[in-house]
mmCIF file of all heavy atoms in Angstrom:
data_model
loop_
_atom_site.group_PDB
_atom_site.id
_atom_site.type_symbol
_atom_site.label_atom_id
_atom_site.label_comp_id
_atom_site.label_asym_id
_atom_site.label_seq_id
_atom_site.Cartn_x
_atom_site.Cartn_y
_atom_site.Cartn_z
ATOM 1 N N ILE D 178 7.073 9.992 -24.398
ATOM 2 C CA ILE D 178 6.175 10.262 -25.517
ATOM 3 C C ILE D 178 5.049 11.188 -25.064
ATOM 4 O O ILE D 178 4.733 11.275 -23.879
ATOM 5 C CB ILE D 178 5.581 8.966 -26.104
ATOM 6 C CG1 ILE D 178 4.750 8.216 -25.057
ATOM 7 C CG2 ILE D 178 6.686 8.081 -26.664
ATOM 8 C CD1 ILE D 178 4.036 6.992 -25.605
ATOM 9 N N ASN D 179 4.442 11.883 -26.029
ATOM 10 C CA ASN D 179 3.318 12.766 -25.747
ATOM 11 C C ASN D 179 2.114 12.331 -26.574
ATOM 12 O O ASN D 179 2.104 12.468 -27.800
ATOM 13 C CB ASN D 179 3.668 14.215 -26.077
ATOM 14 C CG ASN D 179 4.664 14.798 -25.099
ATOM 15 O OD1 ASN D 179 4.464 14.725 -23.892
ATOM 16 N ND2 ASN D 179 5.754 15.362 -25.609
ATOM 17 N N MET D 180 1.119 11.776 -25.867
ATOM 18 C CA MET D 180 -0.142 11.402 -26.499
ATOM 19 C C MET D 180 -1.275 12.111 -25.761
ATOM 20 O O MET D 180 -1.152 12.445 -24.584
ATOM 21 C CB MET D 180 -0.358 9.888 -26.438
ATOM 22 C CG MET D 180 0.654 9.058 -27.189
ATOM 23 S SD MET D 180 0.218 7.297 -27.204
ATOM 24 C CE MET D 180 -1.151 7.313 -28.372
ATOM 25 N N THR D 181 -2.368 12.334 -26.458
ATOM 26 C CA THR D 181 -3.523 12.996 -25.865
ATOM 27 C C THR D 181 -4.458 11.963 -25.253
ATOM 28 O O THR D 181 -4.819 10.978 -25.901
ATOM 29 C CB THR D 181 -4.277 13.810 -26.927
ATOM 30 O OG1 THR D 181 -3.396 14.786 -27.489
ATOM 31 C CG2 THR D 181 -5.480 14.510 -26.315
ATOM 32 N N HIS D 182 -4.835 12.203 -24.009
ATOM 33 C CA HIS D 182 -5.715 11.285 -23.286
ATOM 34 C C HIS D 182 -7.178 11.555 -23.644
ATOM 35 O O HIS D 182 -7.643 12.691 -23.620
ATOM 36 C CB HIS D 182 -5.520 11.465 -21.777
ATOM 37 C CG HIS D 182 -6.471 10.684 -20.941
ATOM 38 N ND1 HIS D 182 -7.092 11.197 -19.820
ATOM 39 C CD2 HIS D 182 -6.919 9.404 -21.060
ATOM 40 C CE1 HIS D 182 -7.867 10.283 -19.273
ATOM 41 N NE2 HIS D 182 -7.787 9.194 -20.013
ATOM 42 N N VAL D 183 -7.907 10.471 -23.950
ATOM 43 C CA VAL D 183 -9.340 10.559 -24.229
ATOM 44 C C VAL D 183 -10.065 9.616 -23.275
ATOM 45 O O VAL D 183 -10.008 8.393 -23.439
ATOM 46 C CB VAL D 183 -9.665 10.181 -25.690
ATOM 47 C CG1 VAL D 183 -11.165 10.350 -25.952
ATOM 48 C CG2 VAL D 183 -8.855 11.022 -26.664
ATOM 49 N N PRO D 184 -10.759 10.147 -22.251
ATOM 50 C CA PRO D 184 -11.459 9.286 -21.300
ATOM 51 C C PRO D 184 -12.830 8.843 -21.816
ATOM 52 O O PRO D 184 -13.524 9.603 -22.492
ATOM 53 C CB PRO D 184 -11.605 10.182 -20.072
ATOM 54 C CG PRO D 184 -11.664 11.570 -20.627
ATOM 55 C CD PRO D 184 -10.791 11.564 -21.859
ATOM 56 N N TYR D 185 -13.197 7.607 -21.497
ATOM 57 C CA TYR D 185 -14.498 7.056 -21.859
ATOM 58 C C TYR D 185 -15.187 6.561 -20.593
ATOM 59 O O TYR D 185 -14.613 6.574 -19.501
ATOM 60 C CB TYR D 185 -14.342 5.888 -22.835
ATOM 61 C CG TYR D 185 -13.903 6.284 -24.226
ATOM 62 C CD1 TYR D 185 -12.571 6.609 -24.493
ATOM 63 C CD2 TYR D 185 -14.801 6.323 -25.269
ATOM 64 C CE1 TYR D 185 -12.162 6.975 -25.770
ATOM 65 C CE2 TYR D 185 -14.409 6.674 -26.562
ATOM 66 C CZ TYR D 185 -13.084 6.997 -26.802
ATOM 67 O OH TYR D 185 -12.686 7.341 -28.068
ATOM 68 N N LYS D 186 -16.415 6.100 -20.741
ATOM 69 C CA LYS D 186 -17.159 5.529 -19.612
ATOM 70 C C LYS D 186 -16.998 4.010 -19.629
ATOM 71 O O LYS D 186 -17.907 3.266 -19.989
ATOM 72 C CB LYS D 186 -18.633 5.914 -19.687
ATOM 73 C CG LYS D 186 -18.886 7.396 -19.457
ATOM 74 C CD LYS D 186 -20.371 7.705 -19.466
ATOM 75 C CE LYS D 186 -20.618 9.184 -19.181
ATOM 76 N NZ LYS D 186 -22.066 9.510 -19.181
ATOM 77 N N GLY D 187 -15.812 3.552 -19.271
ATOM 78 C CA GLY D 187 -15.568 2.120 -19.218
ATOM 79 C C GLY D 187 -14.653 1.643 -20.326
ATOM 80 O O GLY D 187 -14.575 2.250 -21.407
ATOM 81 N N ALA D 188 -13.951 0.533 -20.051
ATOM 82 C CA ALA D 188 -12.967 0.017 -21.000
ATOM 83 C C ALA D 188 -13.606 -0.477 -22.283
ATOM 84 O O ALA D 188 -13.025 -0.350 -23.365
ATOM 85 C CB ALA D 188 -12.164 -1.108 -20.344
ATOM 86 N N SER D 189 -14.807 -1.055 -22.196
ATOM 87 C CA SER D 189 -15.436 -1.564 -23.415
ATOM 88 C C SER D 189 -15.821 -0.434 -24.356
ATOM 89 O O SER D 189 -15.839 -0.609 -25.582
ATOM 90 C CB SER D 189 -16.664 -2.410 -23.061
ATOM 91 O OG SER D 189 -17.616 -1.659 -22.342
ATOM 92 N N ALA D 190 -16.119 0.745 -23.801
ATOM 93 C CA ALA D 190 -16.467 1.891 -24.640
ATOM 94 C C ALA D 190 -15.254 2.383 -25.425
ATOM 95 O O ALA D 190 -15.350 2.652 -26.623
ATOM 96 C CB ALA D 190 -17.038 3.017 -23.779
ATOM 97 N N VAL D 191 -14.113 2.499 -24.756
ATOM 98 C CA VAL D 191 -12.909 2.920 -25.469
ATOM 99 C C VAL D 191 -12.482 1.851 -26.462
ATOM 100 O O VAL D 191 -11.952 2.162 -27.541
ATOM 101 C CB VAL D 191 -11.761 3.254 -24.497
ATOM 102 C CG1 VAL D 191 -11.335 2.083 -23.680
ATOM 103 C CG2 VAL D 191 -10.541 3.789 -25.268
ATOM 104 N N LEU D 192 -12.733 0.600 -26.140
ATOM 105 C CA LEU D 192 -12.351 -0.487 -27.045
ATOM 106 C C LEU D 192 -13.050 -0.341 -28.392
ATOM 107 O O LEU D 192 -12.442 -0.576 -29.447
ATOM 108 C CB LEU D 192 -12.694 -1.836 -26.406
ATOM 109 C CG LEU D 192 -12.279 -3.081 -27.177
ATOM 110 C CD1 LEU D 192 -10.769 -3.130 -27.363
ATOM 111 C CD2 LEU D 192 -12.751 -4.338 -26.442
ATOM 112 N N ALA D 193 -14.314 0.066 -28.387
ATOM 113 C CA ALA D 193 -15.051 0.236 -29.633
ATOM 114 C C ALA D 193 -14.400 1.296 -30.515
ATOM 115 O O ALA D 193 -14.248 1.110 -31.734
ATOM 116 C CB ALA D 193 -16.503 0.612 -29.334
ATOM 117 N N ASP D 194 -13.990 2.415 -29.915
ATOM 118 C CA ASP D 194 -13.348 3.469 -30.703
ATOM 119 C C ASP D 194 -11.927 3.100 -31.100
ATOM 120 O O ASP D 194 -11.428 3.539 -32.141
ATOM 121 C CB ASP D 194 -13.346 4.779 -29.921
ATOM 122 C CG ASP D 194 -14.626 5.579 -30.147
ATOM 123 O OD1 ASP D 194 -15.558 5.039 -30.781
ATOM 124 O OD2 ASP D 194 -14.702 6.732 -29.687
ATOM 125 N N LEU D 195 -11.260 2.291 -30.279
ATOM 126 C CA LEU D 195 -9.926 1.818 -30.645
ATOM 127 C C LEU D 195 -10.017 0.920 -31.877
ATOM 128 O O LEU D 195 -9.220 1.036 -32.818
ATOM 129 C CB LEU D 195 -9.291 1.063 -29.482
ATOM 130 C CG LEU D 195 -7.899 0.481 -29.719
ATOM 131 C CD1 LEU D 195 -6.879 1.579 -29.992
ATOM 132 C CD2 LEU D 195 -7.456 -0.349 -28.514
ATOM 133 N N LEU D 196 -10.994 0.044 -31.882
ATOM 134 C CA LEU D 196 -11.193 -0.834 -33.042
ATOM 135 C C LEU D 196 -11.591 -0.028 -34.273
ATOM 136 O O LEU D 196 -11.261 -0.396 -35.403
ATOM 137 C CB LEU D 196 -12.264 -1.878 -32.725
ATOM 138 C CG LEU D 196 -11.878 -2.930 -31.678
ATOM 139 C CD1 LEU D 196 -13.093 -3.740 -31.252
ATOM 140 C CD2 LEU D 196 -10.801 -3.861 -32.233
ATOM 141 N N GLY D 197 -12.293 1.079 -34.046
ATOM 142 C CA GLY D 197 -12.727 1.920 -35.166
ATOM 143 C C GLY D 197 -11.684 2.915 -35.623
ATOM 144 O O GLY D 197 -11.870 3.581 -36.646
ATOM 145 N N GLY D 198 -10.584 3.044 -34.882
ATOM 146 C CA GLY D 198 -9.502 3.926 -35.283
ATOM 147 C C GLY D 198 -9.615 5.353 -34.774
ATOM 148 O O GLY D 198 -8.774 6.196 -35.114
ATOM 149 N N GLN D 199 -10.634 5.642 -33.929
ATOM 150 C CA GLN D 199 -10.764 7.003 -33.399
ATOM 151 C C GLN D 199 -9.665 7.316 -32.379
ATOM 152 O O GLN D 199 -9.259 8.464 -32.227
ATOM 153 C CB GLN D 199 -12.138 7.208 -32.754
ATOM 154 C CG GLN D 199 -13.278 7.379 -33.744
ATOM 155 C CD GLN D 199 -13.714 6.078 -34.376
ATOM 156 O OE1 GLN D 199 -13.535 5.010 -33.791
ATOM 157 N NE2 GLN D 199 -14.292 6.150 -35.562
ATOM 158 N N VAL D 200 -9.220 6.306 -31.643
ATOM 159 C CA VAL D 200 -8.037 6.421 -30.791
ATOM 160 C C VAL D 200 -7.050 5.353 -31.241
ATOM 161 O O VAL D 200 -7.437 4.346 -31.834
ATOM 162 C CB VAL D 200 -8.368 6.272 -29.286
ATOM 163 C CG1 VAL D 200 -9.241 7.419 -28.813
ATOM 164 C CG2 VAL D 200 -9.027 4.928 -28.999
ATOM 165 N N GLN D 201 -5.775 5.584 -30.963
ATOM 166 C CA GLN D 201 -4.749 4.690 -31.518
ATOM 167 C C GLN D 201 -4.209 3.667 -30.522
ATOM 168 O O GLN D 201 -3.683 2.629 -30.938
ATOM 169 C CB GLN D 201 -3.576 5.522 -32.047
ATOM 170 C CG GLN D 201 -3.855 6.240 -33.353
ATOM 171 C CD GLN D 201 -4.774 7.423 -33.190
ATOM 172 O OE1 GLN D 201 -4.566 8.261 -32.317
ATOM 173 N NE2 GLN D 201 -5.808 7.486 -34.013
ATOM 174 N N ALA D 202 -4.317 3.939 -29.221
ATOM 175 C CA ALA D 202 -3.672 3.052 -28.253
ATOM 176 C C ALA D 202 -4.487 2.948 -26.969
ATOM 177 O O ALA D 202 -5.310 3.816 -26.651
ATOM 178 C CB ALA D 202 -2.256 3.544 -27.940
ATOM 179 N N LEU D 203 -4.223 1.883 -26.225
ATOM 180 C CA LEU D 203 -4.901 1.638 -24.955
ATOM 181 C C LEU D 203 -4.010 0.739 -24.106
ATOM 182 O O LEU D 203 -3.450 -0.234 -24.605
ATOM 183 C CB LEU D 203 -6.250 0.958 -25.193
ATOM 184 C CG LEU D 203 -7.006 0.389 -23.980
ATOM 185 C CD1 LEU D 203 -7.477 1.523 -23.075
ATOM 186 C CD2 LEU D 203 -8.182 -0.459 -24.444
ATOM 187 N N VAL D 204 -3.873 1.075 -22.816
ATOM 188 C CA VAL D 204 -3.231 0.185 -21.847
ATOM 189 C C VAL D 204 -4.357 -0.388 -21.002
ATOM 190 O O VAL D 204 -4.957 0.322 -20.197
ATOM 191 C CB VAL D 204 -2.206 0.930 -20.963
ATOM 192 C CG1 VAL D 204 -1.595 -0.030 -19.949
ATOM 193 C CG2 VAL D 204 -1.118 1.546 -21.819
ATOM 194 N N SER D 205 -4.661 -1.662 -21.188
ATOM 195 C CA SER D 205 -5.841 -2.250 -20.557
ATOM 196 C C SER D 205 -5.529 -3.608 -19.974
ATOM 197 O O SER D 205 -4.555 -4.265 -20.360
ATOM 198 C CB SER D 205 -6.966 -2.380 -21.595
ATOM 199 O OG SER D 205 -8.128 -2.964 -21.025
ATOM 200 N N SER D 206 -6.376 -4.047 -19.055
ATOM 201 C CA SER D 206 -6.221 -5.399 -18.522
ATOM 202 C C SER D 206 -6.409 -6.416 -19.650
ATOM 203 O O SER D 206 -7.175 -6.192 -20.591
ATOM 204 C CB SER D 206 -7.224 -5.658 -17.404
ATOM 205 O OG SER D 206 -8.551 -5.623 -17.895
ATOM 206 N N MET D 207 -5.710 -7.521 -19.542
ATOM 207 C CA MET D 207 -5.706 -8.508 -20.614
ATOM 208 C C MET D 207 -7.086 -9.043 -20.989
ATOM 209 O O MET D 207 -7.387 -9.205 -22.182
ATOM 210 C CB MET D 207 -4.761 -9.658 -20.256
ATOM 211 C CG MET D 207 -4.479 -10.594 -21.427
ATOM 212 S SD MET D 207 -3.291 -11.891 -21.049
ATOM 213 C CE MET D 207 -1.817 -10.931 -20.736
ATOM 214 N N PRO D 208 -7.976 -9.360 -20.024
ATOM 215 C CA PRO D 208 -9.273 -9.919 -20.420
ATOM 216 C C PRO D 208 -10.072 -9.022 -21.349
ATOM 217 O O PRO D 208 -10.810 -9.512 -22.208
ATOM 218 C CB PRO D 208 -9.997 -10.099 -19.081
ATOM 219 C CG PRO D 208 -8.922 -10.226 -18.079
ATOM 220 C CD PRO D 208 -7.830 -9.325 -18.555
ATOM 221 N N THR D 209 -9.929 -7.710 -21.210
ATOM 222 C CA THR D 209 -10.698 -6.785 -22.035
ATOM 223 C C THR D 209 -10.271 -6.833 -23.495
ATOM 224 O O THR D 209 -11.109 -6.713 -24.400
ATOM 225 C CB THR D 209 -10.542 -5.345 -21.503
ATOM 226 O OG1 THR D 209 -10.977 -5.299 -20.136
ATOM 227 C CG2 THR D 209 -11.356 -4.357 -22.309
ATOM 228 N N VAL D 210 -8.982 -7.009 -23.742
ATOM 229 C CA VAL D 210 -8.465 -6.880 -25.105
ATOM 230 C C VAL D 210 -8.038 -8.208 -25.731
ATOM 231 O O VAL D 210 -7.804 -8.261 -26.943
ATOM 232 C CB VAL D 210 -7.276 -5.896 -25.135
ATOM 233 C CG1 VAL D 210 -7.749 -4.489 -24.779
ATOM 234 C CG2 VAL D 210 -6.170 -6.328 -24.174
ATOM 235 N N LEU D 211 -7.941 -9.260 -24.943
ATOM 236 C CA LEU D 211 -7.417 -10.522 -25.468
ATOM 237 C C LEU D 211 -8.221 -11.060 -26.656
ATOM 238 O O LEU D 211 -7.618 -11.498 -27.654
ATOM 239 C CB LEU D 211 -7.339 -11.565 -24.349
ATOM 240 C CG LEU D 211 -6.579 -12.857 -24.678
ATOM 241 C CD1 LEU D 211 -5.134 -12.549 -25.086
ATOM 242 C CD2 LEU D 211 -6.588 -13.807 -23.474
ATOM 243 N N PRO D 212 -9.567 -11.050 -26.616
ATOM 244 C CA PRO D 212 -10.300 -11.560 -27.792
ATOM 245 C C PRO D 212 -9.978 -10.795 -29.071
ATOM 246 O O PRO D 212 -9.857 -11.400 -30.149
ATOM 247 C CB PRO D 212 -11.770 -11.378 -27.384
ATOM 248 C CG PRO D 212 -11.751 -11.415 -25.889
ATOM 249 C CD PRO D 212 -10.473 -10.718 -25.511
ATOM 250 N N SER D 213 -9.836 -9.472 -28.971
ATOM 251 C CA SER D 213 -9.535 -8.672 -30.161
ATOM 252 C C SER D 213 -8.101 -8.864 -30.620
ATOM 253 O O SER D 213 -7.807 -8.729 -31.820
ATOM 254 C CB SER D 213 -9.795 -7.185 -29.869
ATOM 255 O OG SER D 213 -11.163 -6.960 -29.587
ATOM 256 N N ILE D 214 -7.202 -9.189 -29.693
ATOM 257 C CA ILE D 214 -5.828 -9.524 -30.080
ATOM 258 C C ILE D 214 -5.818 -10.844 -30.833
ATOM 259 O O ILE D 214 -5.195 -10.980 -31.897
ATOM 260 C CB ILE D 214 -4.915 -9.608 -28.840
ATOM 261 C CG1 ILE D 214 -4.800 -8.244 -28.156
ATOM 262 C CG2 ILE D 214 -3.517 -10.111 -29.233
ATOM 263 C CD1 ILE D 214 -4.098 -8.291 -26.808
ATOM 264 N N LYS D 215 -6.536 -11.817 -30.290
ATOM 265 C CA LYS D 215 -6.578 -13.143 -30.919
ATOM 266 C C LYS D 215 -7.205 -13.094 -32.310
ATOM 267 O O LYS D 215 -6.812 -13.846 -33.208
ATOM 268 C CB LYS D 215 -7.358 -14.110 -30.026
ATOM 269 C CG LYS D 215 -6.717 -14.372 -28.663
ATOM 270 C CD LYS D 215 -5.408 -15.111 -28.777
ATOM 271 C CE LYS D 215 -4.873 -15.525 -27.405
ATOM 272 N NZ LYS D 215 -3.554 -16.202 -27.499
ATOM 273 N N SER D 216 -8.185 -12.193 -32.483
ATOM 274 C CA SER D 216 -8.859 -12.093 -33.781
ATOM 275 C C SER D 216 -8.062 -11.269 -34.789
ATOM 276 O O SER D 216 -8.421 -11.225 -35.969
ATOM 277 C CB SER D 216 -10.241 -11.465 -33.604
ATOM 278 O OG SER D 216 -10.138 -10.087 -33.256
ATOM 279 N N GLY D 217 -7.002 -10.599 -34.319
ATOM 280 C CA GLY D 217 -6.175 -9.798 -35.210
ATOM 281 C C GLY D 217 -6.643 -8.370 -35.391
ATOM 282 O O GLY D 217 -6.059 -7.610 -36.170
ATOM 283 N N ARG D 218 -7.689 -7.974 -34.670
ATOM 284 C CA ARG D 218 -8.204 -6.608 -34.811
ATOM 285 C C ARG D 218 -7.378 -5.595 -34.006
ATOM 286 O O ARG D 218 -7.378 -4.412 -34.300
ATOM 287 C CB ARG D 218 -9.664 -6.556 -34.380
ATOM 288 C CG ARG D 218 -10.566 -7.478 -35.191
ATOM 289 C CD ARG D 218 -11.991 -7.425 -34.679
ATOM 290 N NE ARG D 218 -12.620 -6.148 -34.980
ATOM 291 C CZ ARG D 218 -13.776 -5.742 -34.454
ATOM 292 N NH1 ARG D 218 -14.399 -6.520 -33.572
ATOM 293 N NH2 ARG D 218 -14.294 -4.570 -34.777
ATOM 294 N N LEU D 219 -6.681 -6.091 -32.983
ATOM 295 C CA LEU D 219 -5.760 -5.257 -32.227
ATOM 296 C C LEU D 219 -4.386 -5.908 -32.230
ATOM 297 O O LEU D 219 -4.274 -7.139 -32.325
ATOM 298 C CB LEU D 219 -6.229 -5.090 -30.776
ATOM 299 C CG LEU D 219 -7.505 -4.283 -30.535
ATOM 300 C CD1 LEU D 219 -7.816 -4.244 -29.045
ATOM 301 C CD2 LEU D 219 -7.408 -2.870 -31.101
#
Side-chain angles (χ1 to χ4, degrees):
I178 61 175
N179 289 309
M180 297 186 73
T181 301
H182 174 223
V183 183
Y185 289 77
K186 292 183 178 180
S189 59
V191 62
L192 184 61
D194 273 8
L195 179 63
L196 292 169
Q199 284 77 26
V200 295
Q201 286 73 49
L203 169 68
V204 178
S205 179
S206 65
M207 191 176 296
T209 302
V210 294
L211 191 58
S213 297
I214 296 171
K215 296 293 187 183
S216 70
R218 301 178 70 192
L219 292 179

